[in-house]
Amino acid sequence: MTDIRADLGEAPISANEDQIIADIIQANLKMMEVEENGFKWRAQHPKGHGAIPARFIVGPDVPQAHRVGLFAQPGEYAALIRFSNGTERRDDPKGGDAHGMAIKLFGVPGARVEGAADAKGTLDFVLVDNETFFEGDLNEYSAFNDLVSEVLNFKRNGDEALAAIVNGIYLKFLKKYFSHDIYAVAQKFGDQHPTSPLRAIYWSTTPFLHGDIAVKHRVVPDPAPAPGELREGVEGADGLTEQLLDGLSGKAAAFDFYIQPQEDVAAHPIEDPNVNWTENGAGWVKLARIEIPALDAGDAVARAARVAAGDRMAFNPWNTLPEHRPLGAVNRVRNKVYKELARARNADGV
C-alpha cells in the first residue's frame, strides 16, 4: 500500500476498513442481476450507451506546474468511452438518474499504482454527472449499500409493499443515527436530467494525486452546455443511447479535461467527497482535450453491438500512474469493489 498523505488531509486507514469493504462488496454482488443467457448486469451503472472511440490529447500549453505524469509532455492517446446510467438498468428515466463517463486510454507508458501496466497500456478515468459524492464515512456508506440491495431484491421479487416497508424502516434509522441525511443527498446525486451524454458535465467527485498535490477531475463539453440542457432530460426506453449515437452520426464532439488543485486542506478535504471544492473557492485548470470523431452509427444491430462492447469493459480509477494515485477511503473502497464486481461479470481484461 502506498504511503498515506497526511499533509494533504488523507486519514490513516481504520482497523476495520477491510471488513467494511468486504460488506460493501457483498451488498453490490446482491445487486447484480443475471439474465437467463448468463449475462450479468453491473451492480452500478448497469445501462451503457456504447463503447465510443475517442482521442485524448495533451497539448503543449499545459501549465509548467502541472506537467506531471500523463500530462508531463504533449501526446495523443487512443481512447474508448463508456457512457452510462447510474441505476436504471434498461430505461432512460425522465425522472432523473446519475450518469457516468468512464474513459479508457491506450498506449500510456510507465508503471501503474499497483504494478506493471497491462499489455495495452491502458489508463482509466471514472466520472459522474454530479460534482460531489453522497458519502465519505465508510460505515454509513456500507449501511446505505445494504439498504439499496435489500430494497432492490424485494422489488425484483415483485414485493413492492415489503420493499416500501423495509425502505421506510431503514430511512428512519439513517436519519436518526447518520451524520447527515444520506438518502436526501443520494437522491440529489441521482437527480440529473441531461439531454444527451454528449452535453453533460462530468466530475471525479473524489480526489487524486497530481504529482505532489491533490486534485479533482472534471470533463466539460465544448461548447459548454447551457443551464437548461442539464435539466431538460429525454424520454423513451433508450433516449440517451439514441441521443448519443444520433449526435455522433456524421458529427464530431469534443470535451475539455480539467483538474481542480486543492488550495486549503480544511476547505477542500480528501476524506469527505460530499464537500464541494468549487463552492469553497478551488479553481479549475484545463490540461487536455477529448475529441470524439463522427461515427457511422449503423442499424439497430450495429448499435446493439456497440453497447455490448461497452458492457464488457471494466474500469478502475486505480489503473493509473503513481503520479495520479487515488486518495482517501472512498477511493480505496472503489478499488476493491470494482475489481470484485468486474471478476464476477467476467469483464474483458480482468
Side-chain angles (χ1 to χ4, degrees):
M1 184 68 188
T2 51
D3 293 336
I4 294 296
R5 290 295 304 269
D7 57 316
L8 300 177
E10 192 173 27
I13 299 173
S14 63
N16 65 337
E17 182 172 292
D18 285 344
Q19 183 57 55
I20 293 173
I21 292 175
D23 292 343
I24 293 172
I25 289 171
Q26 290 306 309
N28 276 269
L29 288 172
K30 288 171 65 177
M31 294 183 215
M32 294 178 67
E33 290 190 71
V34 183
E35 299 287 357
E36 291 183 0
N37 63 3
F39 175 79
K40 298 177 181 178
W41 291 88
R42 280 172 162 85
Q44 308 292 338
H45 291 267
K47 180 179 174 61
H49 306 303
I52 307 300
R55 300 289 296 177
F56 189 95
I57 303 168
V58 179
D61 53 349
V62 173
Q64 184 65 42
H66 299 309
R67 293 183 183 179
V68 296
L70 179 67
F71 308 94
Q73 57 188 1
E76 293 191 18
Y77 304 94
L80 281 175
I81 301 173
R82 180 183 187 261
F83 295 97
S84 60
N85 284 8
T87 58
E88 294 294 333
R89 187 161 70 93
R90 290 189 173 90
D91 297 335
D92 289 331
K94 185 75 171 181
D97 198 353
H99 307 88
M101 181 185 193
I103 308 167
K104 186 175 291 291
L105 309 187
F106 296 88
V108 180
R112 301 300 184 257
V113 173
E114 297 186 309
D118 61 25
K120 295 182 180 179
T122 65
L123 183 148
D124 298 343
F125 294 101
V126 180
L127 308 105
V128 68
D129 62 345
N130 194 68
E131 188 162 1
T132 58
F133 195 57
F134 53 83
E135 188 53 80
D137 182 288
L138 295 195
N139 286 292
E140 296 182 2
Y141 186 34
S142 179
F144 185 74
N145 273 268
D146 287 341
L147 162 64
V148 174
S149 66
E150 293 299 334
V151 171
L152 280 177
N153 280 335
F154 286 125
K155 286 185 175 181
R156 288 168 185 165
N157 291 329
D159 200 333
E160 294 283 346
L162 188 54
I165 292 172
V166 171
N167 192 56
I169 293 172
Y170 262 100
L171 289 183
K172 288 182 180 180
F173 171 81
L174 297 180
K175 290 180 180 180
K176 183 175 181 179
Y177 295 106
F178 276 32
S179 60
H180 65 284
D181 189 348
I182 184 175
Y183 193 77
V185 176
Q187 283 186 313
K188 181 180 178 182
F189 179 85
D191 186 31
Q192 310 305 321
H193 303 259
T195 57
S196 165
L198 298 172
R199 302 302 301 153
I201 301 172
Y202 301 91
W203 291 266
S204 64
T205 73
T206 52
F208 297 76
L209 281 177
H210 189 84
D212 201 44
I213 65 172
V215 304
K216 291 187 178 182
H217 304 144
R218 180 180 71 169
V219 173
V220 182
D222 181 22
E229 286 188 78
L230 303 178
R231 300 301 303 170
E232 291 176 358
V234 295
E235 294 181 334
D238 292 298
L240 288 175
T241 304
E242 292 168 359
Q243 288 295 316
L244 171 65
L245 297 179
D246 289 347
L248 292 172
S249 182
K251 295 170 286 186
F255 292 83
D256 290 324
F257 182 96
Y258 295 80
I259 61 168
Q260 183 180 42
Q262 180 192 55
E263 298 177 9
D264 181 278
V265 172
H268 311 135
I270 297 298
E271 299 293 355
D272 189 356
N274 191 36
V275 173
N276 189 311
W277 286 17
T278 302
E279 292 178 355
N280 288 352
W284 294 94
V285 182
K286 178 183 171 183
L287 295 191
R289 185 170 177 81
I290 300 166
E291 295 185 351
I292 303 175
L295 297 178
D296 179 3
D299 57 17
V301 173
R303 290 187 174 208
R306 190 177 294 280
V307 170
D311 288 342
R312 290 192 299 271
M313 297 178 71
F315 300 86
N316 192 319
W318 287 76
N319 181 31
T320 190
L321 303 176
E323 295 92 331
H324 307 304
R325 174 177 72 84
L327 294 168
V330 170
N331 271 329
R332 290 195 297 274
V333 170
R334 295 168 79 193
N335 185 24
K336 294 183 179 179
V337 171
Y338 286 16
K339 286 178 179 176
E340 289 303 317
L341 296 183
R343 291 188 187 105
R345 292 190 298 109
N346 300 312
D348 288 349
V350 178

